[in-house]
Amino acid sequence: MIQRIQTLYLLVIVILGTLLFFVPVIQLTTPSDAQVHRMFELGATGLDEVTPNMENLYLEEASLKGLWGLTLTTLLIPFLASVDIFLYRRRMLQARLNIFLALLCIGYYGILFMYVWFAKMNLGTEWHLCFWACIPLICFVLTLGATRRILKDEALVRAADRIR
């Protein structure tokens, strides 16, 4: 199981997906011409305010409702990759699950930018991508590589069965 390169790809996806849950991916800031400069970070755990120098300022609590989509997607990526590792005997099911995992990685960006749009409309902020926003893209590429290797293994097994 571990000697297959696709297992290593999937293991890296599990590690990166778990890391993605704990880091912010978008930084939201109020425009420079605003009265009070506020800074937020958006990640899988929600919207956190990280405004520096908040001395004696009464600010209303900013929030985005319903961040469960981002949380669920962030949790599903490493979970499905870890399940996928143990399906090494059922290669076609493993390949189908990999395709779903690749779609989930791309869907993460759709959900993320939907929340960014809501934040821009509701909070009046500008957004900036953090370095960690590239993790789902890396997972997408690794998933495609693992799928290619799984299908290559399946073709090799079918060719060996044909020879017998």
Side-chain angles (χ1 to χ4, degrees):
M1 174 174 80
I2 197 69
Q3 69 270 18
R4 299 168 65 212
I5 190 72
Q6 58 265 31
T7 304
L8 296 177
Y9 289 163
L10 292 169
L11 189 61
V12 171
I13 292 170
V14 169
I15 292 168
L16 289 176
T18 305
L19 177 69
L20 182 63
F21 187 76
F22 297 104
V23 295
V25 290
I26 299 282
Q27 189 175 39
L28 304 162
T29 57
T30 54
S32 58
D33 59 348
Q35 289 178 335
V36 178
H37 184 69
R38 298 175 78 180
M39 187 182 305
F40 305 97
E41 289 181 341
L42 177 65
T45 56
L47 186 69
D48 298 322
E49 186 163 6
V50 290
T51 304
N53 302 329
M54 289 197 47
E55 303 150 0
N56 299 327
L57 289 176
Y58 176 74
L59 300 172
E60 68 276 356
E61 186 68 27
S63 67
L64 290 176
K65 303 292 183 203
L67 285 175
W68 59 268
L70 195 62
T71 304
L72 183 67
T73 306
T74 307
L75 288 175
L76 274 177
I77 290 172
F79 175 73
L80 288 178
S82 61
V83 167
D84 207 9
I85 290 173
F86 295 105
L87 291 175
Y88 62 92
R89 291 181 189 253
R90 302 182 63 196
R91 284 174 293 280
M92 292 311 292
L93 178 63
Q94 192 178 28
R96 287 187 193 110
L97 189 60
N98 266 356
I99 292 170
F100 179 72
L101 184 61
L103 291 175
L104 194 64
C105 290
I106 295 300
Y108 177 87
Y109 285 117
I111 293 170
L112 181 67
F113 286 115
M114 182 181 66
Y115 286 131
V116 167
W117 183 71
F118 285 143
K120 190 171 183 169
M121 299 304 285
N122 294 337
L123 303 175
T125 58
E126 299 170 350
W127 60 278
H128 308 283
L129 284 173
C130 294
F131 170 74
W132 305 109
C134 68
I135 289 177
L137 184 63
I138 295 169
C139 290
F140 174 74
V141 171
L142 288 172
T143 302
L144 291 181
T147 304
R148 190 173 141 250
R149 295 300 298 236
I150 290 166
L151 294 175
K152 197 175 191 180
D153 276 358
E154 180 65 20
L156 185 67
V157 167
R158 287 186 185 201
D161 286 343
R162 211 174 24 242
I163 292 173
R164 284 190 224 167

